[in-house]
Amino acid sequence: MASNPTKFLDTGIPGLDHVLGGGLFERGMLLVFGPPGAGKTTMVFQMALHAASAGRPVVYISTLAEPASRLIAHIGTMSFWDPRLIGKRLFLESIYPLVRRGVAEVASALIETARSHEAQLLVLDGLMTLRDLHPDSAEQRYFLHEVSVALAALGCTTVVTTSEVPDMHGSTPPEFTMSDAVVELQHPDAHRQQVRALRMWKNRGTACVLGSHAVRITADGLAVYPRFESRPLPAVAPPTAERLSSGQPELDAMMSGGLPRGSVTIAAGAPGTGKTLVLLHYLIEGARQGQKGLLVGFREPYPELVVRARSFGMDLEGPVKEGIITVLRRLPVDLVVDEVLADSMAVLERTGATRLCVDGLAELDHTIPDERRRRGVLASLAELLRGRGVTTLFTWETGQVVGPELDFACSPLAVLAENVILLRHVEFQGTLRRILSILKMRDTMHDHSIRQYEIGGEGIRVLSRGESIEGLLTGIARLPSERRVKRRGMAPGRPEDTR
């Protein structure tokens, strides 16, 4: 038998088509289930309005007792609402009185309504009402079979919602086995924050993305953020010798010309070491060369960044107004890693930016509560950025300000990053000095010396190679005379031991 190619209807919900493996199976049946308040009605009404706005006749049928005016009052606050579609391509019906009469009459009414309106999409919101009044499993199977077969013959796709949650240790409701696709909406408690989620159970004949995916409901409706690690990875980019300037000539010289194109770099340091300034130098240098950049931040608002850059002789506002630099700030409250990364990748694709700065790797790290996911998400992010040829610079805040302990490599990305730059404070002769060292550059010759740097009116200035002072990386600096005494175990002024 010749096979026909699978046809899909797009849902109009950001991210959902990707999770479904292409969209709604044409002439098939999608089951959406979940507890009250999970967003079922918002999702299916958003689908209905999207299909109607695309010119497809849509029938929305509610089995609940609430009038259509009450439903419209709630959905009417969403930006996707278009009252001009009502009665033209979107037809709202309520069959609550028919539900009491029996499943046969309900099935006949649904089929006749779809036929009379030549519907291409029919939404049945509230299958649980039918189950409550007619709990017999055989009747439910008859109803679903009659409706799905008849609507498919009419060229109509069906979407059904229910609050019924299957008992994994008991019998499975018939709608779960008879539906072509099954989606669950959840609002689990993640770190005491109400985070909505969508779980993909199945979608016959498609490469759907199983598992749990983040969901956000705003005034624009419902959006799905697929698990970031489910994104297809690009082909491995060929190696290149191209370097991107950091905006600091002496630091570029230490890195044999700058940051390797397509690499991932971490600038790690304690508070006050100038990590954000390193990012600003890097972005503004790129803008000077006509290279677009994206700054993702979690703490400082954009106006404060502009003022900070200006105080160090750097113009951030100009490149932002020209569209060369884009600033994306996400307040570190109720963050979901899939949403943050999806928004960032969308900006990269839209602007064509080749320089990316993330000011606050720790905040990004904390958006992944499941430690088992963390390495996979960050590995996928690094691979996607490399594949796009984006040269990325992260900041990571270490715990120690001064002292002998180096609190670093707490994040998996510290292992995945090709390059690591360490910024530190040291106490020397009663004052704090700043030092810089390149701890790691994969497959690249680099300067291993420890350099002092200053923060002044022009931002960061790395000093040239100077006298090496023992103990700089531990934060305990000593003068050369003190170093000799320490090594030999002699007190100052004592004659040297000649043994």
Side-chain angles (χ1 to χ4, degrees):
M1 296 178 61
S3 60
N4 294 323
T6 303
K7 295 183 179 180
F8 298 102
L9 299 179
D10 59 309
T11 62
I13 296 178
L16 183 57
D17 290 344
H18 172 72
V19 172
L20 288 171
L24 292 175
F25 180 55
E26 193 176 79
R27 303 188 182 191
M29 184 166 70
L30 167 68
L31 174 66
V32 181
F33 76 98
K40 299 185 299 297
T41 298
T42 300
M43 171 185 277
V44 297
F45 216 101
Q46 193 171 344
M47 290 182 190
L49 280 162
H50 174 74
S53 63
R56 301 188 183 97
V58 178
V59 174
Y60 180 95
I61 296 179
S62 174
T63 65
L64 306 178
E66 64 177 3
S69 59
R70 186 175 178 181
L71 175 64
I72 291 175
H74 295 143
I75 299 298
T77 62
M78 301 288 188
S79 63
F80 59 78
W81 170 250
D82 187 354
R84 296 170 299 177
L85 298 173
I86 304 300
K88 294 181 179 178
R89 289 194 295 272
L90 177 59
F91 305 94
L92 305 180
E93 305 285 350
S94 176
I95 60 169
Y96 181 72
L98 290 177
V99 175
R100 291 184 171 275
R101 300 181 186 177
V103 295
E105 291 199 29
V106 175
S108 298
L110 291 181
I111 297 168
E112 181 55 35
T113 302
R115 180 184 290 111
S116 63
H117 293 297
E118 299 181 344
Q120 295 182 26
L121 176 66
L122 183 141
V123 176
L124 177 61
D125 192 7
L127 185 63
M128 60 283 185
T129 304
L130 189 68
R131 179 183 300 282
D132 291 341
L133 295 176
H134 306 282
D136 183 78
S137 179
E139 286 188 311
Q140 296 163 20
R141 289 185 180 276
Y142 163 79
F143 170 78
L144 291 171
H145 178 269
E146 289 295 309
V147 170
S148 61
V149 170
L151 293 182
L154 293 173
C156 184
T157 304
T158 309
V159 177
V160 179
T161 73
T162 181
S163 295
E164 184 82 10
V165 177
D167 182 3
M168 302 307 296
H169 302 287
S171 61
T172 303
E175 60 267 26
F176 286 84
T177 58
M178 300 178 70
S179 297
D180 298 291
V182 178
V183 167
E184 178 184 8
L185 289 177
Q186 308 167 327
H187 45 63
D189 187 8
H191 287 267
R192 298 182 181 180
Q193 299 174 357
Q194 290 297 319
V195 180
R196 298 178 189 271
L198 179 147
R199 182 183 177 192
M200 190 72 215
W201 282 51
K202 71 172 183 178
N203 196 9
R204 292 170 180 158
T206 67
C208 61
V209 185
L210 300 177
S212 183
H213 310 274
V215 170
R216 181 81 71 181
I217 298 179
T218 65
D220 293 326
L222 186 144
V224 179
Y225 297 92
R227 288 184 297 107
F228 192 79
E229 60 270 38
S230 70
R231 288 181 174 229
L233 296 178
V236 178
T240 175
E242 184 181 354
R243 301 292 176 125
L244 273 67
S245 174
S246 66
Q248 172 50 243
E250 196 66 32
L251 180 58
D252 289 344
M254 294 179 68
M255 296 186 293
S256 299
L259 300 175
R261 180 177 178 82
S263 66
V264 177
T265 303
I266 294 178
T273 52
K275 299 182 297 298
T276 302
L277 284 179
V278 173
L279 300 189
L280 290 174
H281 275 293
Y282 173 63
L283 279 178
I284 292 173
E285 173 63 21
R288 189 184 67 81
Q289 299 181 21
Q291 299 169 354
K292 292 187 176 182
L294 168 63
L295 172 59
V296 180
F298 300 94
R299 294 184 179 178
E300 293 180 276
Y302 169 69
E304 292 184 12
L305 281 174
V306 170
V307 173
R308 171 183 284 199
R310 188 180 297 124
S311 66
F312 290 104
M314 292 182 281
D315 178 23
L316 176 63
E317 188 175 19
V320 170
K321 288 182 177 179
E322 294 172 8
I324 301 177
I325 294 177
T326 304
V327 178
L328 180 62
R329 187 204 179 207
R330 300 304 301 267
L331 192 67
V333 177
D334 288 337
L335 289 179
V336 178
V337 65
D338 305 295
E339 181 180 4
V340 174
L341 296 182
D343 290 346
S344 301
M345 295 302 293
V347 174
L348 288 175
E349 293 173 5
R350 188 184 74 247
T351 62
T354 56
R355 294 188 180 220
L356 169 64
C357 292
V358 179
D359 194 9
L361 175 57
E363 279 77 7
L364 185 64
D365 208 39
H366 293 158
T367 62
I368 315 174
D370 186 353
E371 293 186 4
R372 295 172 299 180
R373 282 196 65 199
R374 187 171 295 134
R375 181 172 289 273
V377 170
L378 297 178
S380 297
L381 173 62
E383 197 67 19
L384 282 168
L385 293 173
R386 293 186 189 107
R388 289 183 56 86
V390 176
T391 308
T392 309
L393 185 58
F394 290 89
T395 64
W396 173 263
E397 190 166 291
T398 59
Q400 289 282 7
V401 177
V402 294
E405 295 182 5
L406 183 59
D407 182 14
F408 184 52
C410 299
S411 168
L413 196 54
V415 179
L416 300 170
E418 290 95 340
N419 319 309
V420 179
I421 302 171
L422 178 64
L423 310 172
R424 292 279 281 171
H425 285 117
V426 295
E427 182 182 356
F428 182 65
Q429 294 183 335
T431 62
L432 286 179
R433 305 289 181 92
R434 296 183 176 94
I435 59 171
L436 175 151
S437 179
I438 300 175
L439 294 188
K440 167 186 175 184
M441 284 195 78
R442 188 176 298 168
D443 302 326
T444 300
M445 297 295 295
H446 62 279
D447 192 332
H448 294 272
S449 65
I450 299 170
R451 301 292 187 90
Q452 183 179 349
Y453 67 95
E454 298 174 346
I455 297 179
E458 296 182 355
I460 289 179
R461 186 175 72 89
V462 180
L463 305 183
S464 61
R465 184 191 297 268
E467 181 182 5
S468 177
I469 302 176
E470 182 183 354
L472 281 177
L473 280 180
T474 65
I476 304 175
R478 294 183 293 274
L479 291 171
S481 60
E482 296 173 327
R483 184 171 65 228
R484 289 195 297 270
V485 170
K486 178 75 174 180
R487 182 179 301 116
R488 294 177 172 82
M490 302 291 292
R494 296 274 306 271
E496 293 186 2
D497 189 346
T498 59
R499 286 180 297 172

